[in-house]
Amino acid sequence: MPHTASAWKRLRKAEKRRRQNRLAAKKIKTQRKEVTTALAGTDAAKVVTEVKNTQVMLDRMAAKGYIHKNKAARLKSRLVKRQRAAASKPAAQ
């Protein structure tokens, strides 16, 4: 356990940041799962809105520093690639 006041403060700050980072990671994971389920479905409008919401959320997380901007760009790129692949598939087989 910390002994000095500054060490206690560092401990408090680290715990607060850990909670915020875990919450941000959970939000990203949940939103990406929503897009995956939308891509598995048949509603094209829902896919478009979910992809857009995910892109906005990833940009916001990168701007706030929860994830790196290049990671956000990579995830968005892969997301759009999956969206285009799903759109190019024939609807009924």
Side-chain angles (χ1 to χ4, degrees), residues 39 41-42 44 47-48 79-93:
L39 285 169
T42 58
V47 172
V48 172
L79 186 65
V80 171
K81 189 184 290 189
R82 287 176 57 201
Q83 179 188 11
R84 288 181 180 158
S88 66
K89 279 186 191 175
Q93 288 183 351

Side-chain angles (χ1 to χ4, degrees), residues 31-40 50-51 54 79 82:
Q31 186 65 34
R32 290 178 68 200
K33 283 183 182 180
E34 287 180 18
V35 171
T36 302
T37 57
L39 285 169
E50 288 297 331
V51 168
T54 305
L79 186 65
R82 287 176 57 201

